[in-house]
């Protein structure tokens, strides 16, 4: 279970830093520029990622482990499904057009896929590193 905790925390930290960089770049030079605004937006993304890890990633990991699916592809597919449900199911940014929803889905699924690879690396691929 220690490797799942380390994988979860590492993937959440990765989401924070990717979101922070993304928001810093997107807010740069605009009307809403500023490090504190990017930091607060990255914090919100991290809270959403934490909830997703607890409610979605850990149960899916346990299910995949039970059925002995150890390929990173399954984790990426799970992240894409979670991002799709989050964007199209909850519509977190209001009633946006389909093109805006698709753009949000691309960003969310990209960050989620990177986070899923990090989670897989620590939870499945490199259990030996975290089993100390």
């Amino acid at each position: 279970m220690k490797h799942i905790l380390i994988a979860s925390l590492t993937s959440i930290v990765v989401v924070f830093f990717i979101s922070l960089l993304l928001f810093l770049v997107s807010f740069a030079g605009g009307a809403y520029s500023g490090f504190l605004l990017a930091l607060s937006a990255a914090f919100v993304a991290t809270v959403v990622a934490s909830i997703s890890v607890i409610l979605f990633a850990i149960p899916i990991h346990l299910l995949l482990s039970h059925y002995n699916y150890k390929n990173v592809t399954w984790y990426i597919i799970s992240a894409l499904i979670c991002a799709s449900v989050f964007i199209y199911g909850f519509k977190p940014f209001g009633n946006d057009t389909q093109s805006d929803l698709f753009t949000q889905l691309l960003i969310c699924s990209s960050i989620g896929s990177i986070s899923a690879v990090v989670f897989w690396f620590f939870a499945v691929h490199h259990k030996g590193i975290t089993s100390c």
Side-chain angles (χ1 to χ4, degrees):
M1 290 307 258
K2 182 179 178 183
H3 60 279
I4 295 175
L5 177 66
I6 292 172
S8 300
L9 292 176
T10 307
S11 63
I12 291 169
V13 168
V14 165
V15 168
F16 174 76
F17 283 114
I18 291 174
S19 300
L20 182 63
L21 289 174
L22 181 70
F23 289 125
L24 281 173
V25 168
S26 66
F27 291 159
Y32 298 109
S33 63
F35 180 75
L36 290 177
L37 183 63
L39 190 65
S40 62
F43 176 75
V44 171
T46 305
V47 169
V48 171
S50 300
I51 293 169
S52 297
V53 165
I54 292 169
L55 295 180
F56 193 76
I58 293 174
I60 289 295
H61 167 69
L62 294 174
L63 185 70
L64 292 173
S65 295
H66 177 73
Y67 289 110
N68 206 20
Y69 291 119
K70 296 183 179 196
N71 196 341
V72 69
T73 307
W74 293 106
Y75 289 83
I76 294 172
I77 290 171
S78 299
L80 296 175
I81 292 170
C82 182
S84 299
V85 168
F86 177 70
I87 294 297
Y88 284 107
F90 295 117
K91 295 185 181 182
F93 303 107
N95 291 328
D96 293 329
T97 64
Q98 286 297 325
S99 62
D100 288 339
L101 285 174
F102 187 70
T103 303
Q104 294 165 13
L105 177 65
L106 287 176
I107 293 169
C108 187
S109 61
S110 299
I111 294 172
S113 296
I114 293 168
S115 179
V117 170
V118 170
F119 185 93
W120 169 83
F121 183 79
F122 284 103
V124 177
H125 183 67
H126 260 275
K127 274 187 181 179
I129 292 175
T130 59
S131 63
C132 300

